[in-house]
Amino acid sequence: MKKILINIAVFVMVIAVIIILLLSFGTDEGAKYVYKNNTAYKIVELKPKEYQCSECNMDVADLEYAVQLITKNGNTYFFDDIGCVVLWLKNNSPKIVKLMTKTLDTHRWIDAKKAWYSRTDNTPMGYGFAAYEHKEEGMIPYEEMKLLMLQGKNLHDPFVKKQLLSK
Amino acid sequence: MNEILLSNEVIVYLLSEAVLYMLLFIAFLVTLGLVRKWNFDAFTSEQFMWENRSYLVVTIISFAMLLKLLLLPYFVYTVDNLSDLIPGAMCGAGVIKANEYGNPLLALKIIVLFLSGLWLSMNSLDLKAKNYPYLKAKSWFFIVVFVFLSVEFTLDILYFTHIETSNPVTCCSVIFGVSGGANDLPFGLNIPRLLILFYLLFALLVLTVNASMPLVSIGASLLFAIVAYYAVVYFFGTYIYELPTHQCPFCMLQNHYNYVGYFVWGSLLLGIFFVLDSAVMQLFFKRSSKKLKRVSLLFLTLFVVLCSFYVGLYYLENGVLL
């Protein structure tokens, strides 16, 4: 009798462990970096801190600087700073369908490659590059921003910072 | 010369590992002969020589493996001490991630330790019998373990010679921290479910070890090892540090926390090892050892009580949970 009771208890516990694991597998707790199955390639409506930046792991909290990268397989990656996008693309080469950034002047999502970038904004990661839809003095195009970011010539460099902020 | 290699702890550690590896290499060469030439039924002088050599090999391996058991905590202590030399490292977490060899090395050390322990149990069974029934099996097993030992020794050298003292490493708050808000737990678990699994698997282990269900014990102990690691890093550890954002498996090894990490991780590893050991002995050698079972449950209970104690203590002192 005692043995039967032990067997039943073990059986119940094993089932409980399996159920907990299956329930957890079914949640999206672990998938906060990527929004999947976006095969319509539409901009994902974001809430602050809903997703994490794929490069620096920080919450995408300030949506004014947010960037979305949508790949051909429907994965949407989120970034808190355009500088993070450049760094992430240095090590990853997905088939990009859309690279969209929020702009500071019009507050719209536009193609990041068509945006203009200031160099001295207070961005979440402090690189200084913030996207604008309309060009103003001192702003640079995407490719130049990318080059400067890869060369480390952003506000993280004390020399560049001093040079830019003293203007 | 690399500053790391001039550290006292690293010199002692690498020298000890090198001496042990040399001894084990001798044992390995003799074992190759033993596997080919051993014939217990033969009454020849050659067989007599192999019996003598087998005794030598067993002594060498037992000695080396017992010392390796002590060298694992010493390795962790060495890594932890190196955090003073490497910029950015606050504890062993940054040091172990200083190059790509650190984490595989630590994992391999634990695997080798488990395999060595199983070899020692197998050896003890073999020596208790009069006709060395498991000599060939344990020799083959040692050859497999020796391959792991060789990889481990190579990784040891690669790891310590490739730590740069000029490159800053990330500290544990970046590696395990909550700054990103991302879920680092396995299987998509959250903390409440992780804790339910933690205590449920512990109860399951107590039941299955007592009721002699080796297969379920092996499965449960392996899953418990994973769940317990994450539970300590992401929940119980925060109560040891009394800081909800401090999530690190290494800082608790330091004197600020009374070296409690050695007891936490030691009791977990020993508990899991003895569960696996008793289950393997029962499954493959039909030997059920009450002593092994009691020891395994003792360590596991110690581990669970120690972890829970910090939560209880914090609650009693502060009236709230983190």
Side-chain angles (χ1 to χ4, degrees):
Chain A
M1 187 64 191
K2 193 182 162 194
K3 202 174 179 186
I4 294 172
L5 281 176
I6 289 174
N7 284 344
I8 291 172
V10 168
F11 180 74
V12 170
M13 282 180 176
V14 170
I15 295 294
V17 168
I18 292 170
I19 287 174
I20 291 172
L21 287 176
L22 285 179
L23 281 176
S24 302
F25 274 129
T27 63
D28 60 353
E29 294 263 2
K32 287 185 171 177
Y33 290 88
V34 185
Y35 177 89
K36 293 191 174 178
N37 299 321
N38 183 10
T39 44
Y41 306 128
K42 284 184 177 171
I43 292 291
V44 178
E45 284 297 321
L46 281 180
K47 289 177 198 154
K49 298 189 180 180
E50 189 182 1
Y51 286 92
Q52 279 74 51
C53 174
S54 291
E55 172 62 22
C56 69
N57 299 318
M58 300 280 282
D59 286 330
V60 182
D62 191 346
L63 301 183
E64 291 300 300
Y65 299 95
V67 184
Q68 296 192 24
L69 186 151
I70 308 171
T71 61
K72 200 178 175 189
N73 60 8
N75 283 352
T76 306
Y77 298 86
F78 305 93
F79 300 88
D80 59 345
D81 190 307
I82 189 73
C84 285
V85 178
V86 176
L87 296 179
W88 190 77
L89 286 174
K90 198 170 76 170
N91 300 318
N92 299 277
S93 38
K95 288 182 179 166
I96 303 172
V97 176
K98 277 181 184 172
L99 180 60
M100 306 296 281
T101 179
K102 198 85 180 276
T103 54
L104 272 185
D105 52 349
T106 55
H107 308 289
R108 294 194 318 133
W109 288 98
I110 67 163
D111 185 345
K113 293 188 176 176
K114 289 178 182 164
W116 295 92
Y117 295 90
S118 70
R119 294 190 65 186
T120 52
D121 266 292
N122 186 20
T123 65
M125 290 305 288
Y127 296 121
F129 300 113
Y132 289 80
E133 190 165 1
H134 302 295
K135 189 182 179 187
E136 284 177 34
E137 198 191 334
M139 287 187 182
I140 53 173
Y142 177 82
E143 286 303 325
E144 196 178 337
M145 179 277 297
K146 182 180 161 186
L147 196 66
L148 289 172
M149 189 63 210
L150 289 173
Q151 289 172 338
K153 290 178 180 169
N154 52 56
L155 291 189
H156 281 201
D157 182 329
F159 181 71
V160 173
K161 188 175 182 179
K162 195 175 173 186
Q163 208 176 26
L164 287 172
L165 296 181
S166 63
K167 276 183 187 172
Chain B
M1 196 185 206
N2 190 337
E3 207 179 327
I4 296 292
L5 294 177
L6 295 174
S7 143
N8 286 344
E9 289 83 7
V10 175
I11 293 172
V12 170
Y13 174 78
L14 284 181
L15 264 179
S16 316
E17 283 283 348
V19 170
L20 287 183
Y21 186 75
M22 266 168 51
L23 282 173
L24 287 165
F25 185 69
I26 295 167
F28 170 72
L29 292 179
V30 180
T31 305
L32 287 180
L34 265 175
V35 168
R36 282 186 297 130
K37 305 270 174 66
W38 179 266
N39 179 12
F40 187 69
D41 297 327
F43 287 92
T44 58
S45 58
E46 195 191 3
Q47 171 60 20
F48 184 66
M49 178 194 78
W50 284 116
E51 282 177 25
N52 281 339
R53 284 191 179 177
S54 83
Y55 194 74
L56 172 73
V57 164
V58 163
T59 312
I60 290 177
I61 300 174
S62 307
F63 170 74
M65 285 182 174
L66 283 173
L67 274 188
K68 280 192 86 71
L69 196 80
L70 298 176
L71 272 177
L72 178 69
Y74 188 72
F75 169 77
V76 176
Y77 170 77
T78 305
V79 165
D80 198 46
N81 258 6
L82 289 181
S83 58
D84 294 337
L85 292 175
I86 300 172
M90 305 295 285
C91 65
V95 182
I96 210 85
K97 276 185 86 80
N99 58 44
E100 67 270 34
Y101 306 113
N103 275 330
L105 176 62
L106 187 60
L108 194 62
K109 278 189 177 298
I110 294 170
I111 293 170
V112 164
L113 206 69
F114 273 50
L115 293 178
S116 306
L118 285 179
W119 187 91
L120 287 174
S121 296
M122 208 169 159
N123 178 51
S124 130
L125 277 186
D126 190 49
L127 294 184
K128 273 179 197 160
K130 285 177 183 168
N131 55 350
Y132 303 105
Y134 305 117
L135 192 120
K136 282 215 165 174
K138 80 177 181 190
S139 298
W140 279 113
F141 188 38
F142 172 67
I143 290 170
V144 174
V145 176
F146 186 77
V147 174
F148 280 95
L149 284 164
S150 303
V151 178
E152 187 206 332
F153 186 58
T154 313
L155 279 178
D156 264 328
I157 292 168
L158 284 173
Y159 173 64
F160 284 111
T161 51
H162 284 78
I163 299 177
E164 295 287 336
T165 46
S166 51
N167 288 351
V169 298
T170 39
C171 86
C172 56
S173 62
V174 176
I175 301 168
F176 301 97
V178 287
S179 55
N183 183 15
D184 293 316
L185 300 178
F187 317 124
L189 287 165
N190 53 24
I191 292 291
R193 279 183 190 159
L194 182 78
L195 291 178
I196 294 171
L197 263 189
F198 178 81
Y199 288 107
L200 194 62
L201 283 168
F202 172 64
L204 184 62
L205 274 174
V206 173
L207 261 184
T208 52
V209 168
N210 274 324
S212 295
M213 297 177 175
L215 273 178
V216 190
S217 290
I218 290 175
S221 62
L222 293 177
L223 190 58
F224 183 72
I226 299 169
V227 168
Y229 167 77
Y230 282 96
V232 171
V233 174
Y234 291 97
F235 181 75
F236 294 113
T238 58
Y239 287 88
I240 294 173
Y241 307 128
E242 299 188 333
L243 197 65
T245 50
H246 194 172
Q247 298 171 335
C248 177
F250 283 92
C251 284
M252 60 181 79
L253 300 162
Q254 296 178 338
N255 60 352
H256 312 298
Y257 306 103
N258 305 315
Y259 304 104
V260 72
Y262 289 99
F263 296 100
V264 171
W265 297 122
S267 56
L268 174 66
L269 283 179
L270 287 169
I272 297 290
F273 168 71
F274 284 115
V275 171
L276 289 176
D277 195 26
S278 68
V280 167
M281 288 300 124
Q282 199 177 337
L283 211 58
F284 295 104
F285 301 98
K286 309 291 173 212
R287 302 288 170 101
S288 178
S289 164
K290 274 191 179 172
K291 200 173 155 192
L292 271 183
K293 287 176 183 174
R294 276 187 200 143
V295 173
S296 68
L297 290 181
L298 178 78
F299 278 116
L300 284 179
T301 310
L302 186 71
F303 168 70
V304 173
V305 169
L306 193 58
C307 289
S308 311
F309 166 76
Y310 276 94
V311 182
L313 186 70
Y314 187 87
Y315 187 75
L316 284 177
E317 280 179 352
N318 301 287
V320 285
L321 291 173
L322 285 171

